[in-house]
Structure formats: C-alpha cells, structure tokens
C-alpha cells in the first residue's frame, strides 16, 4: 500500500472530484526548496490510492491539488487555483504508518484533516 493516499470531495457538486492532478513533494534538507516524490490524478471516486512510495523518511511533505484546472473544466469560477496541504512524517512514526489526506473542496473554501 502507498504510504500516502488522498480523497477529494466536491462539496459544491455533492460528488467526488475526479480528474484533479496532485503532486506529492518533500522538503529538501537545508530549506532549499521541494523535491517531487510522486504525482497522480484522482479517479472517478475522487481518490488516489497509490500516491507515492510504500514508505517515506521522516520530514515535511506537501500535496498540491490543481483545483483551478478542475473548476475551469466545469465552467466554475474559483478563488483557489491550487490547494496545498503540508504535513509532517515524524521520525518516530512506525515505518509502515499510513497517511490519508482527504480534502473537502468548494470553489471558495476547502478543508482537510488526517484521515485513516
């Protein structure tokens, strides 16, 4: 199983948000930017079940969701051209710890939490 998964729900349409491009990046040590770890696109159920490797070393990561392109394709104005969710994988976490990062999305708001 992938170490990181996500699920995007379009609250304004009342359905999963299919077709959103997502990039997983890890912070480069020394604070010199971000390195791409994996990419994916949400499926018809709004999920990416295989985003990233089976394990991630401790550090800071971020998921960036291309929400502008998603809403543009539907002819819907949005305030957020992208949504970025940063999170930390603790060094003390178990090596097979799973990180599920769901996003509840609308054109002018979003929320997220650590799922299971």
């Amino acid at each position: 199983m992938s170490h990181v998964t996500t699920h995007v729900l379009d609250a304004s349409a009342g359905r999963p948000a299919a077709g959103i491009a997502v990039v997983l990046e890890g912070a480069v040590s020394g604070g010199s930017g971000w390195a791409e770890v994996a990419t994916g696109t949400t499926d018809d159920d709004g999920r990416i079940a295989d985003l990233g490797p089976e394990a991630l070393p401790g550090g800071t990561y971020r998921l960036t969701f291309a929400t502008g392109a998603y809403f543009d394709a539907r002819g819907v104005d949005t305030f957020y051209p992208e949504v970025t969710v940063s999170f930390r994988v603790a060094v003390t976490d178990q090596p097979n710890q799973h990180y599920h990062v769901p996003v509840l999305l609308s054109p002018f708001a979003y929320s997220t939490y650590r799922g299971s």
Side-chain angles (χ1 to χ4, degrees):
M1 170 183 263
S2 178
H3 204 80
V4 177
T5 59
T6 190
H7 188 196
V8 184
L9 297 172
D10 182 341
S12 64
R15 64 175 177 246
I20 294 182
V22 180
V23 177
L24 171 63
E25 297 171 295
V28 175
S29 62
S32 61
W34 296 89
E36 185 177 292
V37 175
T39 62
T41 303
T42 57
D43 63 16
D44 288 343
D45 195 33
R47 296 178 184 272
I48 303 177
D50 58 355
L51 185 62
E54 290 183 19
L56 292 171
T60 301
Y61 295 87
R62 70 183 181 188
L63 289 169
T64 302
F65 301 81
T67 54
Y70 169 78
F71 284 118
D72 286 348
R74 283 148 189 79
V76 176
D77 288 333
T78 182
F79 185 69
Y80 299 104
E82 64 182 28
V83 169
T84 300
V85 179
S86 298
F87 61 97
R88 184 179 357 217
V89 172
V91 175
T92 57
D93 284 352
Q94 299 174 354
N96 59 355
Q97 183 79 34
H98 177 240
Y99 295 88
H100 183 63
V101 184
V103 173
L104 184 60
L105 180 64
S106 74
F108 300 99
Y110 66 90
S111 64
T112 185
Y113 60 95
R114 181 174 179 188
S116 56

